[in-house]
Amino acid sequence: MVRPTGARDPIAGPDTPQAPFPLKLRGPVIKGFGRGSKELGIPTANIPLSGLSINGHSDLSSGIYYGFCTLDHSTIPTDKSSVPSATADTTPPSKSSSHAVRDLEYTASVPTTARSPVYPTVLSIGYNPYYKNTTRSIEIHILANFDTDFYGAELSLVILGFIRPEYDYVSKDALVEDIREDIRVAQRSLAREAYQTWKEDGWLKGEGGEGEGQVTGSGSGERSVEGDEEDEKENVKLVPGDRGQTDDVAASALPS
């Protein structure tokens, strides 16, 4: 889809989250390819979600979404010589840059051994036409500033709304400009009372996720970011309502 011209809506979604939201995800933060920070200056958490078969929501539109997440720092390995990775490369990455979003208003976060505060998030579900991906994936940008990495931390995510479709871009600058506006739209949209109440949801406190349909992510690099059709059937990570699944969350880079 070609990027439209003209002013964008300042707020996305209805005043109360509507079906199929909320969608929930939980998994360990692992190393990915680092494209979000290295090329765009916008660090992301990358989730291989080819096919996007979400318990009957396989037709969920590609595009930009918003929600909340938390991090459980108690699950971070003490051995820093390597990091959990979605690929065979487990070497600790160099510190990333978030220069493209540096002037936006973010919360400063200091990692501890406990669960983090609730962070607003913006995420992309789609093919990323600018990079010509052949399978769908999820890339999460956490709206917070971090001084240190948190590879291995368990990430719990609640997706609450849709901002816009994904577009094809003629330049990297146009892509970054839209991502920056996506962040502003997400901040305003999540500030509404009905969305703020989701910050108290038990999923973000580490509750739920047990029982039927749960998949434990190993973080061992056994899954690829892009797979064939059979892989796509296995990469089910999100579920509607109060049900959730556990799987690998690949952090391509961390905010500096």
Side-chain angles (χ1 to χ4, degrees), residues 1 11 53 57 78 115 143 168 188-189 195 215 221 223 239:
M1 181 180 296
I11 292 179
S53 176
H57 291 279
T78 56
R115 185 167 295 276
L143 277 59
D168 198 358
R188 290 189 289 261
S189 300
Y195 290 83
V215 181
R223 287 187 178 88
V239 294

Side-chain angles (χ1 to χ4, degrees), residues 24-32 44-48 69-71 84-86 138-142 150-157 215-220 223 225 237-238 245-254:
K24 300 180 180 182
L25 167 73
R26 178 174 296 142
V29 175
I30 63 179
K31 179 182 177 181
T44 61
N46 225 7
I47 305 170
C69 78
T70 57
L71 297 163
S85 178
I138 290 186
E139 297 181 4
I140 302 170
H141 177 64
I142 301 175
F150 44 82
Y151 292 107
E154 182 182 76
L155 184 149
S156 297
L157 173 69
V215 181
T216 300
S218 65
S220 62
R223 287 187 178 88
V225 172
K237 314 288 194 301
L238 299 175
Q245 291 183 335
T246 302
D247 217 317
D248 292 347
V249 176
S252 61
L254 303 176

Side-chain angles (χ1 to χ4, degrees), residues 167-242:
Y167 303 132
D168 198 358
Y169 291 90
V170 298
S171 71
K172 187 190 306 182
D173 289 343
L175 172 58
V176 171
E177 179 184 341
D178 258 10
I179 294 174
R180 287 170 56 85
E181 185 58 26
D182 293 334
I183 291 168
R184 297 186 185 98
V185 171
Q187 289 172 323
R188 290 189 289 261
S189 300
L190 290 168
R192 292 173 291 183
E193 182 178 358
Y195 290 83
Q196 285 290 301
T197 60
W198 280 96
K199 294 171 71 174
E200 302 301 320
D201 187 72
W203 185 260
L204 294 174
K205 300 175 183 179
E207 301 171 5
E210 299 297 328
E212 182 181 357
Q214 304 312 303
V215 181
T216 300
S218 65
S220 62
E222 296 177 355
R223 287 187 178 88
S224 62
V225 172
E226 296 186 3
D228 58 20
E229 184 175 353
E230 289 302 313
D231 290 333
E232 291 178 1
K233 294 177 182 177
E234 298 175 358
N235 285 335
V236 180
K237 314 288 194 301
L238 299 175
V239 294
D242 291 331

Side-chain angles (χ1 to χ4, degrees), residues 67-116:
F68 293 112
C69 78
T70 57
L71 297 163
D72 183 356
H73 297 284
S74 68
T75 62
I76 298 176
T78 56
D79 182 4
K80 301 295 184 180
S81 61
S82 65
V83 297
S85 178
T87 71
D89 182 9
T90 62
T91 58
S94 57
K95 191 175 182 180
S96 65
S97 170
S98 56
H99 61 269
V101 293
R102 189 164 292 154
D103 61 329
L104 295 175
E105 185 176 349
Y106 280 2
T107 299
S109 182
V110 179
T112 67
T113 57
R115 185 167 295 276
S116 73

